Amino acid sequence: MTQQYDVAIIGTGIGGSTLAAILARQGLRVVVFEGGVHPRFTIGESMILETSEVMRALAEFYDVPELAWFSSENYYNFIGTSHGVKRHFSFLYHAPHQPQDTRRSLQAVIPRLPYGHEIHIHRQDSDYLLTNIAIAYGAQVLQGTRVNDITVDGSGVDVRTDKGDFRADYIVDAGGMRSILAQKYGWRHHDLRAHTRTIYTHMVDVPCYHATGAPQDAYGFPFRVSEGTLHHVFKGGWLWVIPFNNHPRATNPLCSVGLQLDPRLYPLREDLSPEEEFYAFVDQFPDIRAQLRGARPVRAWMRTGRLQYSTQHVVGDRFALLAHAAGFIDPLYSKGLYVTHMTIMKVADLILGARQTGDYSAAAFAPLEEMTLGYIDMHDRLVANSYKAWGNYKLWSVYAVLWLLGAYLEYVKLTVTRLTATDRADYLARLANNRLAGGGFDPFFALQEHIDTLIEQVDPENEADVDSTVAQIRLLFASFPWLSSAFRDLLAGKNHLPNNKLRVNLLNQTDGFLGDGIYRAHFFGDHTLADLAMKAAGEQARYSVPALNWQRRTRAHLATQTGSNSGSESYR
């Protein structure tokens, strides 16, 4: 007999399991198909402020408090200490066969207040936990179950698996690159700007870079580079170092290490194994090689072809592709999980609405397609132009400010909107113009368009052309009235953002925190600095370790499994 469900989901990565928990919590009958079995190895481990903020929004607006557990280090008592801490993004720029020049560096410090620092997620643990959370809320998860075919008709979706047949009103494909629906409808394409491949593994005995290269004080960084995500960057690529053992409570000795290369500059070496190719490449950078000299892999090295892919469409009648099933660009800037969680916020809302109206058509879900493809397009351009800027450090020194400004504005918009929205509909409506970076602020989009166009036109090998382009970009930043002093300091040569985010100049009328004119209206509306300070203080108290521990004992829904008394109480 065919089993009937409201929603079927393919895949139990972070996206599929999070969506399953939300829909099950809202009372829907949910079935999830997973071809593999947890726990399992995967990457995508570095959190960013935007992702963590949307996790908090999902937890609040859909009443699933557990979805915030991976949003900061303050949740270690909940999720365990196999996850690392992330206090910054750090970038060290390298030239072949030369020592790393400490002046060619950047540390983007992540604020500790009000939520705690970000984390490096050990994905085999996070994905397993989130899958079990979905099960605890009522989703049926079928691991080791392969989907063989999907048929859509006017009244529902038939799913044929190697464990039997299922029927649902709607299906979401969260199966990543091998999306069965993208393949079935011939939607997959690779017409993207970015062009990279990767070699990666998990390792032990990876030292802090400062133990083998220049010390922390030589850079003037607020934090050791091992306390966050380290990017070794160079012409045509970068190498990540993401430790899970970088804080006093750590219980995981692993470190994620991966090399991203533009295959048009560095074609895949078929004559070498993945490990041999990795070391043959990094040998040209003496300080990278020194850091990894004593490191040992704990699993086989993985090597891929081109990573980038997208899709012509995201939704059809009665089905949708979620995040990485629709497209993927590059792990640079760790935007992938942000796209995942924003699209979860949208698709869950649309599914709940369709359940009321009975309209599961592609037209009803068109806002999800517009959002997803818009985020992928902006990410693609940001990544492609970053790789190009690494062709000449002078270009990267100014283009990095565009990335940081866009991320900052996005985070501000997300946070203020969650704190001031009246409900989920209001929250989503106020974020309708967001596109991955810039917080939906049209003057930022205009600035971004000018700078991206300049980067796309410049020849990194022509120093005169580079100098002219850099000068034009600096003038564009100078004409942006709301550029904070921290970003102006970077343009003036400083190599890190301040650790102390609470500074007197935040009170300045134009370039302070609130800004003025259309900037203030867009990001803060009628709220005063005093209003927002009160909200921030409330958030700091609410998300402090003692408060979270208390909430888990008294309010977290899964606490009912151990005898707590409030499984149905709202988290907000």
Side-chain angles (χ1 to χ4, degrees):
M1 177 182 292
T2 300
Q3 301 177 61
Q4 180 71 43
Y5 293 87
D6 296 312
V7 177
I9 299 171
I10 301 172
T12 59
I14 283 182
S17 55
T18 295
L19 180 61
I22 288 170
L23 297 178
R25 169 61 185 155
Q26 299 301 315
L28 276 66
R29 294 166 296 169
V30 180
V31 62
V32 189
F33 307 108
E34 170 55 56
V37 177
H38 290 286
R40 63 186 184 188
F41 171 74
T42 190
I43 56 172
E45 302 142 326
S46 179
M47 289 290 291
I48 58 175
L49 291 168
E50 302 96 296
T51 307
S52 293
E53 176 49 40
V54 180
M55 285 180 167
R56 289 185 283 271
L58 289 167
E60 294 184 20
F61 289 120
Y62 290 107
D63 198 22
V64 186
E66 296 82 8
L67 298 184
W69 285 5
F70 292 98
S71 66
S72 92
E73 61 182 340
N74 290 357
Y75 285 96
Y76 279 144
N77 289 342
F78 296 34
I79 61 176
T81 52
S82 63
H83 312 279
V85 72
K86 179 177 177 178
R87 309 193 196 285
H88 58 76
F89 278 93
S90 285
F91 295 80
L92 305 181
Y93 187 87
H94 297 261
H97 312 297
Q98 299 293 324
Q100 201 281 321
D101 184 343
T102 58
R103 296 168 298 179
R104 296 186 167 192
S105 59
L106 171 65
Q107 186 168 96
V109 175
I110 294 169
R112 182 175 64 84
L113 299 177
Y115 302 108
H117 281 122
E118 302 296 305
I119 64 173
H120 292 152
I121 299 178
H122 188 227
R123 287 289 301 274
Q124 75 173 43
D125 294 341
S126 64
D127 294 21
Y128 193 14
L129 176 58
L130 286 167
T131 297
N132 287 330
I133 287 170
I135 294 170
Y137 275 105
Q140 182 178 4
V141 175
L142 303 175
Q143 298 189 63
T145 302
R146 182 180 180 85
V147 175
N148 295 324
D149 195 17
I150 298 168
T151 303
V152 180
D153 60 40
S155 60
V157 181
D158 289 312
V159 184
R160 286 182 284 282
T161 79
D162 56 2
K163 301 290 179 63
D165 295 339
F166 301 81
R167 186 167 175 82
D169 294 330
Y170 198 82
I171 187 166
V172 177
D173 189 340
M177 178 183 64
R178 295 180 179 86
S179 160
I180 188 171
L181 286 170
Q183 294 175 4
K184 180 181 181 71
Y185 290 96
W187 288 353
R188 181 67 76 227
H189 76 82
H190 303 272
D191 184 18
L192 296 157
R193 305 173 185 89
H195 199 123
T196 62
R197 63 185 181 94
T198 187
I199 307 172
Y200 62 94
T201 192
H202 278 174
M203 308 186 84
V204 294
D205 299 332
V206 178
C208 175
Y209 174 81
H210 297 309
T212 58
Q216 179 184 351
D217 58 7
Y219 291 93
F221 286 162
F223 295 104
R224 291 176 292 120
V225 295
S226 59
E227 294 180 86
T229 304
L230 173 58
H231 305 67
H232 292 294
V233 301
F234 41 81
K235 179 180 178 180
W238 64 286
L239 185 149
W240 76 73
V241 180
I242 303 176
F244 303 110
N245 61 343
N246 61 347
H247 58 94
R249 298 181 62 191
T251 54
N252 185 347
L254 297 179
C255 180
S256 180
V257 176
L259 178 65
Q260 294 287 127
L261 297 174
D262 184 338
R264 296 166 299 186
L265 295 177
Y266 310 111
L268 192 148
R269 293 283 305 274
E270 298 282 4
D271 58 318
L272 300 176
S273 70
E275 181 174 14
E276 290 169 338
E277 184 183 12
F278 177 89
Y279 282 112
F281 186 87
V282 301
D283 273 346
Q284 65 185 301
F285 302 110
D287 288 321
I288 301 177
R289 187 66 181 90
Q291 183 183 16
L292 300 177
R293 180 171 291 116
R296 294 176 292 135
V298 300
R299 56 176 298 111
W301 286 83
M302 305 291 289
R303 179 167 61 185
T304 73
R306 187 184 180 188
L307 287 177
Q308 290 72 35
Y309 60 90
S310 187
T311 186
Q312 295 171 359
H313 296 286
V314 174
V315 301
D317 292 340
R318 294 190 176 269
F319 69 87
L321 311 182
L322 182 66
H324 290 170
F328 182 78
I329 301 302
D330 193 278
L332 181 64
Y333 306 130
S334 305
K335 300 287 190 182
L337 286 178
Y338 172 49
V339 176
T340 296
H341 285 81
M342 276 303 297
T343 51
I344 290 171
M345 176 68 76
K346 190 66 176 179
V347 74
D349 183 74
L350 292 170
I351 288 172
L352 294 174
R355 192 185 184 208
Q356 299 299 316
T357 65
D359 185 359
Y360 292 95
S361 67
F365 284 76
L368 175 67
E369 177 164 307
E370 181 181 4
M371 169 189 279
T372 303
L373 295 181
Y375 279 48
I376 290 172
D377 182 66
M378 182 176 284
H379 192 197
D380 181 34
R381 197 175 190 187
L382 175 65
V383 167
N385 286 341
S386 295
Y387 274 77
K388 185 170 183 182
W390 293 335
N392 190 303
Y393 182 76
K394 289 183 283 189
L395 294 172
W396 165 240
S397 69
V398 292
Y399 194 72
V401 177
L402 182 68
W403 156 60
L404 287 167
L405 176 62
Y408 167 74
L409 295 178
E410 190 82 356
Y411 177 60
V412 169
K413 183 66 174 179
L414 291 168
T415 305
V416 174
T417 301
R418 175 177 60 85
L419 294 178
T420 59
T422 57
D423 55 24
R424 187 174 74 239
D426 183 37
Y427 176 86
L428 285 166
R430 290 162 60 180
L431 297 179
N433 200 41
N434 282 39
R435 306 178 198 169
L436 186 88
F441 190 45
D442 287 333
F444 171 82
F445 295 148
L447 173 71
Q448 181 184 50
E449 177 64 31
H450 285 306
I451 293 176
D452 276 326
T453 299
L454 287 169
I455 292 292
E456 287 158 359
Q457 293 173 346
V458 69
D459 177 3
E461 305 294 333
N462 184 323
E463 291 296 331
D465 194 15
V466 167
D467 290 341
S468 174
T469 298
V470 169
Q472 291 178 73
I473 292 174
R474 289 182 179 277
L475 285 174
L476 288 168
F477 279 126
S479 68
F480 189 76
W482 309 282
L483 192 70
S484 75
S485 61
F487 298 133
R488 292 200 305 269
D489 289 345
L490 293 180
L491 291 168
K494 193 172 183 178
N495 74 342
H496 62 273
L497 293 176
N499 184 25
N500 180 12
K501 308 297 184 182
L502 302 177
R503 306 180 309 281
V504 174
N505 61 10
L506 294 178
L507 302 174
N508 293 349
Q509 184 172 357
T510 301
D511 62 350
F513 179 66
L514 290 184
D516 64 0
I518 58 173
Y519 178 93
R520 180 167 184 168
H522 177 80
F523 287 100
F524 305 107
D526 297 330
H527 296 282
T528 67
L529 189 59
D531 293 336
L532 296 170
M534 287 289 291
K535 290 182 181 295
E539 290 287 281
Q540 184 174 346
R542 180 183 176 192
Y543 285 93
S544 67
V545 172
L548 292 175
N549 290 340
W550 177 82
Q551 289 174 20
R552 186 185 185 194
R553 290 193 300 270
T554 62
R555 302 180 72 184
H557 299 302
L558 292 190
T560 60
Q561 306 302 316
T562 57
S564 180
N565 61 1
S566 59
S568 62
E569 184 177 353
S570 174
Y571 185 63
R572 185 160 188 173

